[in-house]
Amino acid sequence: MTSHYISVEEAQEKGKLLRGKEYWWEIPDEVYKKIEKVVGSQWVTRDKVARLAYICRGYNREFIWFAGQAFPPCCVVLPATAEEIAELVKIFNQHHLPYCPASSGWIVSATPRFRADVVLIDLQRMWEWKIDAEEMRLTLGPGVRYGHNAQGCFEYDCWFMNPGGGSAACVIPNHLNWGLSPLNYRMGNAERRIMGVEWISPEGDIVYMGSWSQEEDGFWGDSPGPNLSGILRGHVGQHGSMGIVTRMSVKIFSFLEDTPEVLVPEGISPRTHLAFKDLDKVRWVNVQFPSREAMQDCIYKLSHAQIGAAITKVPVFWRVLAASRDGVDYKNTFWEHWDKVTKEEIDNFHILRILICAFTSKEQLEYEVHVLEDITKEFGGKIRRTKPSDESWLKNADANGMWMMTSGYVSCDGAQESLRCAFATGERLGNLLFEKYGPPVFMNEYGDPGWWQSNDFGHSGYLEFLVYMNPDHYDPLSPFYKEEVWAKMLKWYLEEVPDIDAETGCTNFFCADSIAMLYQGPHFSDYQVWIDRFKEEFDPRILCNPPSPYDTEQLAELFPSWLKKSRALMRRAKRGKSTILGTPGHQATGIGMKGK
Amino acid sequence: MQNGKAKPVTFSLDFDLRNYLWDSKVCLACAMCKYGDWIYAVSPEVYDFGWICPEWEWGVIDHYGTSGRARLVNALLCGDIEPEYPTVKEVAFRCHLCGGCDMADKRNLELEPLMMHEALKVYLVDRGIGPMPEHRTIAMRIERKGNYFGKNPKERMAWSKEAGIKVAEKADVLYFVGCYASCKYSEIAQAVAKILNKARVPFMVMEEQGCCGYMLFVSGLLKEATETAKRTVKQIRDKEIKTVLCDCADCYRMLKVEYPKMIGIATKDLGFEVLHIAQYAANLIKDGGIKPVKKFENKVTFHDPCGLGRLSEPWTPWEGIRDPDDWGKLKPPRNFRRGTNGCYEPPRDVLRSIPGVELVEMFRHHHNAFCSGSCGGVREAFPEQQRFVTDVRMREADYVGANVLVTANPRSYEVFAESLARLQNGGMLRNIEEIDKRFSGNYTFKSLKKKKLSLESVHDLTVLLASVI
């Protein structure tokens, strides 16, 4: 019997307490038959086993599933075309049935939360992938994932960014969300590379944006009239609750000559990698610096010189994580190394990784390497031996590996700021975590200041701060649950991190839909009011992917009473549109239907 | 809800489904179990050749794959669904147990999806819900006649009476003859004998040998499979065998991995070494014991059987705790089997040694190989799923330009041979249409545009080798 086993009876009792409502909700026959007529009986199901498969995926796990707020959808439907989706949305509107679109399901908002009467629209059948390497653009459907996309582009000597969120993420939603990767250094944010968009509005209309609004050609992101694409945004927008994007054309970039021959998949699991077969065409360079300040200054100078294709500084524990794959038991191997690390080592360990590519010729690569050597030498940097391969940026982004060390992980800060702000925020977070929030709440990171990268040739810097938790202590269904650990975690996320963001002026976009400090309130021009107005205009019944955007006042009610500061801030943010707690006619046990 | 005062309980890596509650909850649905190692991800233009999970590619909806099944296991163990719910059984038994998800998961995380799937089948059989009726029929045949086909057990070794085959009364090497080689494809057994005779390796057979029990094991009939394991191991030990040679990847996996797992010992404690004839032959070629001399001028691709490749790493039992106050570390550490040391190169070495062979790889190869469709009892219970999966694999072999497909597992060989006949007679278009309906919306993959099959033949590796030495 597993060490984590609890009896079925105990699980049921605790589950009921956590959820506060029924787990299953059955879609009325009348509505189900209408859906069947649109997509065919093979592509809709209300089978319970099928519905269970769509509970909680990816980043949802820690705060939604464990909190008992992940529910199986009332049915799962897999449409094949935009026309089918438009019809479905009209049916859902007619019957007041909430729905949630999902491609990979990797992000928090891509799964039913807080209620059981949601239809899950699985978009993975909507497959399209057409590349124009000469004009450097790609048209694709919602089912396409970054990992496949990367290989496809390579075969045409092109490339695109691969997000830190993982190769498993789908291109359309991640691009809309923000689209962040070290490759943004040269390519810019993915969301700025969106051109044509085919969108099903929450009213069920098919709307075309960009040059698709005028013609067949999805070449251009703008078109006459207001640019509507802003209302589709993720982290700083509607969080996946403004209709469904069914097709997109994106800009891609030209890459290396004969890319598939230069980047060759090699190795047997777990040691697989893209081998660099020609170091005159592509290489990573690791540079070690004598101090953090020197590294930070160097990042600026390298960026202004516009050399390289990526400049990134990763947390030290990622390096240890990668090395742990040589052990038969990764977790134990990781901890054998990590337990021996000291703060002093972290304070003195400054490695920057730079990707150099021969976009034009090997002479160009040589030139850039010379410039890199000159600049890094100025700051005391020493070039270190670097593996001639890529394990996790160009094609495979190991987001799921993040959970390996402790089986619980979340990023508490994700921001695009000036480089200086990103550095300062990461350092403050690293120090506070080390001083006050170490084990058993979070893994000791010894003050590591997080993951930084330079974007847009140094115009902005990206910071992501990752923390690692022990699910045994914050999963209420675990026999080892510790309320005090959960309380400290909440305090960190909802109060400490936003406080530091406020001090350094860092605009953290993670959880912007739920944390009152982020993009809400008078400091941000009451931006949430505009979010609500758009939602009110297009989806007044809040059927598209509730409860995004969150009603922070209702959310405050769900948090413990001792979280006074955060609750007070949430109430001040003044939002009141979503239905987390439910209002008459919108409860999870039975949503109102016309004529019923 | 709790106060953290519970103490961790010692548990084992075995067939108790409750041992996988943790795995069911840690699963992130990251889709590596759907597509395999991202390093080897294919272009969207050939998306149908990019899946690692055969059941999922057939079914598309997420409960047909590992992450969906993890949610199902969680719901069963937490009482959110009853095991008697109709599709629970269907979904559990549609799993091929090919280990693609297991290999992919373990690249980055440390879960045991394959064990979880095996335990789920056992869980349902223990409750009288499984196995599928077709599995029961085969189990009865095995019980009564000692072989998968229900043939007269006295005829199991009839192949060895052929002229020119020398079988020793007693030897260090035992040829464990699979049911397919003894009852259906006697040319495989004769090929093994020819290779060993040519290399002057004395070998024996066991007249009393029965089925390895593979179908019992993959059907969740654990009690019957364990009895078979104990009996067979005793038979081999009683004869003081040093090396057991298998002609079948499933027998190989059973003897090397699943028998120790069921009996509760390590592979190294079996008391004998288990090898596949592909490994043995590769060594014979290297040492000069045999030499391929006849030409075989073809573009050949090799299908890695799961049992020979990623599932063949030795088994080590584990028992311990997961320490909740030390980040969930397993204590003692567990030796996770990731498919790293599977038998991938020896069959390729054999093929490379044959004059005229040009070896090409499919998109999914080595640890990342796609299932042939023949395993897990799926063929018997869900033939339309198996047919679809096998046809996809054949089209992949065809697409990469091979005119010959070789494998080292008679069960896979059988389904490939049937598929070849089918694809040559209109089945190609049918499979293309099925894929098109499933995935492509308004778009057609490049891989679906090739409508005519260039692939000419399918071979078993052993038979091929015997024909050229």
Side-chain angles (χ1 to χ4, degrees):
Chain A
M1 182 196 300
T2 183
S3 59
H4 289 71
Y5 180 71
I6 57 173
S7 69
V8 167
E9 293 73 27
E10 211 179 337
Q12 280 282 286
E13 189 193 315
K14 287 180 184 174
K16 277 192 180 125
L17 268 174
L18 278 174
R19 287 171 200 152
K21 44 180 93 97
E22 290 298 316
Y23 196 50
W24 299 100
W25 185 83
E26 301 305 325
I27 186 171
D29 286 344
E30 179 198 346
V31 186
Y32 189 79
K33 287 193 172 95
K34 286 184 181 177
I35 298 173
E36 253 185 337
K37 228 171 148 185
V38 173
V39 298
S41 57
Q42 188 187 2
W43 300 115
V44 60
T45 178
R46 48 185 163 180
D47 179 272
K48 282 187 175 176
V49 175
R51 287 152 69 185
L52 280 170
Y54 291 87
I55 291 179
C56 170
R57 296 182 283 179
Y59 292 96
N60 241 314
R61 181 175 155 262
E62 268 71 14
F63 294 107
I64 305 289
W65 196 19
F66 285 0
Q69 297 308 316
F71 291 82
C74 63
C75 87
V76 177
V77 57
L78 291 88
T81 64
E83 289 74 18
E84 284 181 3
I85 294 181
E87 260 200 78
L88 289 171
V89 168
K90 291 187 176 110
I91 293 170
F92 301 146
N93 278 325
Q94 184 192 2
H95 292 282
H96 299 204
L97 201 54
Y99 57 95
C100 174
S103 300
S104 66
W106 195 228
I107 197 72
V108 175
S109 53
T111 195
R113 318 129 5 259
F114 299 99
R115 55 196 301 170
D117 58 345
V118 179
V119 176
L120 195 292
I121 305 179
D122 182 351
L123 299 167
Q124 63 175 305
R125 286 180 67 216
M126 292 193 62
W127 193 266
E128 184 171 358
W129 196 87
K130 287 181 192 145
I131 190 168
D132 183 338
E134 198 169 291
E135 291 183 357
M136 290 182 281
R137 55 168 159 163
L138 187 57
T139 302
L140 34 74
V144 179
R145 298 189 191 230
Y146 279 102
H148 299 123
N149 186 61
Q151 182 59 32
C153 289
F154 289 166
E155 288 176 13
Y156 288 86
D157 291 354
C158 291
W159 69 334
F160 196 71
M161 73 89 170
N162 212 29
S167 299
C170 285
V171 178
I172 285 183
N174 193 274
H175 265 48
L176 287 170
N177 207 28
W178 205 308
L180 286 152
S181 145
L183 305 182
N184 294 144
Y185 168 76
R186 185 173 274 264
M187 296 180 193
N189 283 3
E191 41 90 6
R192 286 194 230 125
R193 300 303 177 191
I194 296 171
M195 300 184 310
V197 173
E198 177 183 83
W199 172 52
I200 313 298
S201 77
E203 290 160 333
D205 296 320
I206 303 181
V207 178
Y208 295 96
M209 299 181 192
S211 54
W212 272 344
S213 67
Q214 308 299 312
E215 58 205 14
E216 294 277 325
D217 190 339
F219 183 72
W220 195 237
D222 273 312
S223 57
N227 187 336
L228 299 180
S229 59
I231 61 170
L232 306 181
R233 295 293 304 284
H235 278 310
V236 292
Q238 296 283 349
H239 307 282
S241 70
M242 187 56 70
I244 302 170
V245 172
T246 50
R247 201 167 168 244
M248 190 184 266
S249 78
V250 300
K251 162 136 179 62
I252 55 176
F253 293 79
S254 149
F255 197 22
L256 313 169
E257 198 183 355
D258 301 322
T259 304
E261 275 139 59
V262 178
L263 303 177
V264 176
E266 271 185 3
I268 303 280
S269 194
R271 282 280 170 222
T272 56
H273 51 269
L274 278 185
F276 290 170
K277 292 299 188 187
D278 186 347
L279 292 178
D280 286 339
K281 285 189 173 169
V282 64
R283 58 177 97 148
W284 278 104
V285 180
N286 288 348
V287 184
Q288 183 157 18
F289 290 88
S291 71
R292 197 172 286 157
E293 293 70 30
M295 180 173 68
Q296 291 168 355
D297 290 341
C298 188
I299 290 175
Y300 265 110
K301 193 138 187 195
L302 287 170
S303 304
H304 292 171
Q306 297 184 31
I307 57 148
I311 297 179
T312 183
K313 171 254 172 227
V314 301
V316 177
F317 45 78
W318 283 11
R319 299 173 65 84
V320 178
L321 184 65
S324 301
R325 284 217 204 97
D326 287 324
V328 293
D329 180 323
Y330 294 161
K331 190 181 266 192
N332 274 291
T333 307
F334 171 84
W335 284 102
E336 259 170 51
H337 297 303
W338 194 245
D339 276 338
K340 292 177 192 145
V341 168
T342 61
K343 186 164 194 312
E344 198 191 343
E345 277 176 276
I346 298 293
D347 285 345
N348 292 304
F349 187 89
H350 315 291
I351 294 224
L352 194 64
R353 272 172 72 75
I354 302 110
L355 180 69
I356 307 270
C357 300
F359 295 112
T360 55
S361 63
K362 78 169 191 183
E363 285 78 16
Q364 179 225 317
L365 181 136
E366 274 170 22
Y367 166 74
E368 292 204 8
V369 169
H370 286 316
V371 173
L372 170 72
E373 284 166 351
D374 286 346
I375 292 177
T376 53
K377 199 170 163 187
E378 242 180 86
F379 295 93
K382 288 196 170 89
I383 293 184
R384 283 173 51 139
R385 194 177 65 88
T386 313
K387 276 196 261 184
S389 62
D390 180 82
E391 287 184 23
S392 55
W393 286 124
L394 299 182
K395 186 175 174 187
N396 171 54
D398 278 335
N400 60 354
M402 292 298 100
W403 275 264
M404 195 275 282
M405 296 93 103
T406 65
S407 307
Y409 141 71
V410 101
S411 290
C412 60
D413 210 314
Q416 280 234 133
E417 269 300 341
S418 68
L419 282 164
R420 295 285 172 213
C421 183
F423 298 153
T425 308
E427 282 168 352
R428 298 283 280 280
L429 288 169
N431 287 335
L432 184 64
L433 190 80
F434 177 71
E435 282 156 23
K436 287 169 73 180
Y437 285 88
V441 183
F442 296 123
M443 177 180 97
N444 193 347
E445 297 181 19
Y446 303 102
D448 193 299
W451 169 28
W452 297 329
Q453 62 194 43
S454 171
N455 283 4
D456 276 332
F457 292 127
H459 166 74
S460 68
Y462 178 64
L463 162 73
E464 190 165 333
F465 198 87
L466 299 87
V467 289
Y468 295 87
M469 313 88 75
N470 183 350
D472 286 323
H473 293 157
Y474 64 87
D475 174 6
L477 259 60
S478 163
F480 314 105
Y481 173 75
K482 287 182 180 163
E483 186 147 7
E484 66 272 21
V485 169
W486 176 230
K488 284 194 175 152
M489 278 173 56
L490 282 183
K491 188 160 168 67
W492 170 262
Y493 287 119
L494 299 175
E495 294 189 349
E496 301 277 27
V497 171
D499 274 353
I500 286 180
D501 287 334
E503 269 177 56
T504 60
C506 179
T507 38
N508 179 0
F509 58 76
F510 279 167
C511 305
D513 58 340
S514 50
I515 297 181
M517 286 293 295
L518 309 177
Y519 301 120
Q520 297 180 53
H523 182 74
F524 290 100
S525 310
D526 285 326
Y527 173 62
Q528 79 282 7
V529 174
W530 288 101
I531 297 286
D532 287 346
R533 280 182 185 169
F534 281 117
K535 189 69 170 165
E536 178 78 21
E537 180 60 37
F538 287 100
D539 184 22
R541 291 196 206 98
I542 316 160
L543 296 178
C544 186
N545 207 354
S548 286
Y550 286 90
D551 178 333
T552 45
E553 204 164 321
Q554 290 194 39
L555 201 59
E557 292 299 314
L558 294 176
F559 289 134
S561 54
W562 51 264
L563 214 59
K564 291 188 175 62
K565 188 170 154 188
S566 195
R567 281 164 69 105
L569 279 168
M570 285 192 183
R571 290 202 179 95
R572 282 221 314 264
K574 286 196 178 61
R575 250 188 164 155
K577 298 296 171 193
S578 74
T579 57
I580 299 170
L581 300 181
T583 54
H586 290 274
Q587 287 174 24
T589 49
I591 195 157
M593 274 171 52
K594 277 187 184 171
K596 187 161 172 127
Chain B
M1 294 233 165
Q2 287 278 7
N3 55 9
K5 287 199 175 135
K7 291 244 180 281
V9 170
T10 299
F11 70 109
S12 315
L13 191 60
D14 61 21
F15 298 95
D16 186 339
L17 189 66
R18 295 175 297 177
N19 287 338
Y20 307 100
L21 178 62
W22 165 272
D23 304 73
S24 75
K25 220 157 190 196
V26 172
C27 167
L28 303 160
C30 68
M32 279 191 85
C33 55
K34 197 179 205 176
Y35 298 116
D37 191 332
W38 284 113
I39 290 284
Y40 288 92
V42 302
S43 163
E45 293 185 321
V46 291
Y47 182 61
D48 53 329
F49 302 146
W51 295 60
I52 196 76
C53 178
E55 178 199 349
W56 214 334
E57 182 163 5
W58 169 84
V60 184
I61 307 179
D62 281 2
H63 60 314
Y64 289 122
T66 289
S67 65
R69 237 187 319 269
R71 300 295 180 274
L72 170 61
V73 165
N74 191 270
L76 285 167
L77 294 174
C78 293
D80 290 325
I81 195 169
E82 296 299 318
E84 292 81 13
Y85 188 83
T87 31
V88 171
K89 176 178 168 180
E90 184 218 329
V91 163
F93 284 95
R94 280 194 183 273
C95 176
H96 291 259
L97 297 180
C98 71
C101 54
D102 201 75
M103 174 280 305
D105 250 6
K106 286 170 175 169
R107 185 189 185 277
N108 292 331
L109 288 171
E110 289 182 328
L111 306 179
E112 296 281 1
L114 184 62
M115 286 296 312
M116 185 180 71
H117 297 324
E118 289 169 0
L120 178 59
K121 290 189 179 185
V122 171
Y123 172 90
L124 294 175
V125 168
D126 283 351
R127 279 156 183 75
I129 296 166
M132 301 301 292
E134 294 84 359
H135 299 153
R136 278 259 177 246
T137 306
I138 293 165
M140 274 166 41
R141 272 193 230 147
I142 293 172
E143 190 192 351
R144 288 177 192 160
K145 303 285 183 152
N147 63 77
Y148 172 89
F149 295 95
K151 291 211 161 151
N152 185 345
K154 290 192 177 136
E155 289 169 22
R156 193 175 187 101
M157 299 300 170
W159 59 271
S160 64
K161 313 291 185 264
E162 287 293 307
I165 290 181
K166 291 191 206 98
V167 180
E169 281 288 319
K170 180 86 178 73
D172 286 342
V173 175
L174 168 74
Y175 170 29
F176 188 91
V177 192
C179 294
Y180 270 81
S182 58
C183 302
K184 183 162 185 180
Y185 296 125
S186 56
E187 62 269 28
I188 295 178
Q190 286 158 2
V192 172
K194 182 179 175 186
I195 290 166
L196 295 175
N197 286 164
K198 191 102 183 181
R200 298 202 175 134
V201 175
F203 72 95
M204 62 180 284
V205 295
M206 286 195 306
E207 291 289 338
E208 68 275 33
Q209 184 209 309
C211 177
C212 69
Y214 171 79
M215 276 303 302
L216 302 172
F217 178 77
V218 300
S219 306
L221 292 161
L222 184 63
K223 184 164 149 284
E224 294 83 343
T226 307
E227 279 164 14
T228 303
K230 286 178 176 165
R231 184 176 59 242
T232 309
V233 168
K234 184 175 185 308
Q235 284 170 346
I236 297 172
R237 281 174 174 169
D238 285 349
K239 291 181 165 42
E240 296 173 336
I241 302 294
K242 292 204 167 69
T243 303
V244 176
L245 277 188
C246 302
D247 57 62
C248 166
D250 295 331
C251 296
Y252 171 67
R253 166 203 173 172
M254 284 302 291
L255 268 69
K256 183 178 177 188
V257 178
E258 312 303 351
Y259 278 14
K261 193 196 283 182
M262 288 188 280
I263 294 170
I265 61 172
T267 296
K268 64 177 174 55
D269 296 327
L270 275 170
F272 50 86
E273 188 184 19
V274 181
L275 293 174
H276 189 279
I277 185 66
Q279 294 167 291
Y280 204 79
N283 283 336
L284 288 176
I285 292 169
K286 200 167 108 189
D287 297 337
I290 51 171
K291 186 176 157 89
V293 292
K294 288 191 200 144
K295 278 193 181 170
F296 188 74
E297 280 176 344
N298 286 285
K299 228 174 189 176
V300 174
T301 192
F302 181 69
H303 165 82
D304 294 276
C306 325
L308 182 62
R310 59 180 168 245
L311 295 181
S312 69
E313 283 181 331
W315 176 260
T316 311
W318 181 90
E319 189 179 84
I321 63 161
R322 197 185 298 278
D323 192 340
D325 290 319
D326 200 2
W327 306 107
K329 280 187 224 164
L330 291 169
K331 292 177 178 173
R334 182 191 290 169
N335 185 354
F336 281 86
R337 297 166 62 245
R338 302 179 205 277
T340 315
N341 300 307
C343 176
Y344 305 114
E345 289 308 313
R348 288 172 169 82
D349 290 339
V350 170
L351 288 169
R352 280 184 210 113
S353 72
I354 299 174
V357 163
E358 184 189 340
L359 198 56
V360 296
E361 294 287 0
M362 288 188 267
F363 293 102
R364 297 169 287 190
H365 58 88
H366 284 69
H367 63 291
N368 220 36
F370 190 61
C371 182
S372 66
S374 67
C375 39
V378 172
R379 184 186 186 199
E380 290 77 6
F382 303 104
E384 80 291 353
Q385 177 180 322
Q386 173 265 308
R387 176 196 54 73
F388 172 87
V389 168
T390 309
D391 288 354
V392 168
R393 188 60 165 163
M394 290 289 282
R395 282 185 37 252
E396 183 183 356
D398 177 67
Y399 190 83
V400 300
N403 65 317
V404 170
L405 170 65
V406 175
T407 188
N409 187 31
R411 195 187 301 271
S412 303
Y413 167 75
E414 183 183 43
V415 299
F416 284 144
E418 285 171 2
S419 173
L420 182 66
R422 195 167 45 238
L423 295 180
Q424 284 168 340
N425 291 298
M428 182 102 161
L429 293 177
R430 180 181 168 192
N431 190 253
I432 286 169
E433 210 178 273
E434 284 173 329
I435 301 272
D436 203 34
K437 270 197 290 204
R438 278 163 170 78
F439 300 116
S440 46
N442 289 325
Y443 168 81
T444 301
F445 306 142
K446 218 159 128 176
S447 48
L448 300 185
K449 292 180 181 166
K450 186 172 192 282
K451 308 257 196 250
K452 214 165 167 272
L453 198 73
S454 317
L455 199 63
E456 289 163 2
S457 61
V458 177
H459 294 261
D460 176 85
L461 179 70
T462 317
V463 172
L464 175 62
L465 178 61
S467 73
V468 295
I469 55 174

